[in-house]
Amino acid sequence: MKLAARGMPATDVQVYSEVARLLDRRAALKHPPFSLTVSDSVALGIARLFRSPSLSGEVLDRFATGGSVDSDELIEAARFEQGYASAEGYAALRCLVLWVHNRTHRTEQRSSHAS
């Protein structure tokens, strides 16, 4: 499924602040809902933080600059980058993966309701 986010990427400070708040909220719930995720601007900001000339970094760059990317490709890129990230970066990339899952879940629900 192709995904794109709208808006401007959040700053580094905004990214890490929202990621910390989100993870605290999710940790407080036994079964956090799909909808409890970062905003579009923070998803873009996370991708911007991890863009690079590598294959996974190029996927993140394409997404961060407003391009459309395949959801599976974006998840794969984020998970690959987690292997090289700091603890904070790992958490931010996890939030990006959760954002993708939320987006795909919402789109699938809309499609099933439209049928």
Side-chain angles (χ1 to χ4, degrees), residues 7 21 25 33 43 47-48 50 53 56-57 62 67 72 74 77 83 87-88 90 101 108 115:
R21 282 193 311 272
R25 288 181 63 202
R48 184 185 46 76
F50 293 94
S56 59
R62 196 167 58 245
D72 291 336
L74 185 55
E88 295 83 6
Y90 185 95
H101 286 304
E108 288 168 359
S115 303

Side-chain angles (χ1 to χ4, degrees), residues 16-28 32-33 35-39 91 94-96 98-99:
Y16 287 116
S17 177
E18 188 170 322
V19 164
R21 282 193 311 272
L22 173 72
L23 292 176
D24 286 344
R25 288 181 63 202
R26 291 184 69 85
S35 59
L36 187 55
T37 188
V38 294
S39 63
R94 175 68 182 137
C95 289
L96 179 58
L98 292 170
W99 181 89

Side-chain angles (χ1 to χ4, degrees), residues 9 12 44-66 81 93:
D12 296 2
L44 290 168
I46 293 166
R48 184 185 46 76
L49 283 170
F50 293 94
R51 63 187 177 185
S52 70
S54 70
L55 291 176
S56 59
E58 288 177 359
V59 171
L60 294 166
D61 183 48
R62 196 167 58 245
F63 177 71
T65 56
E81 291 297 327
L93 288 160

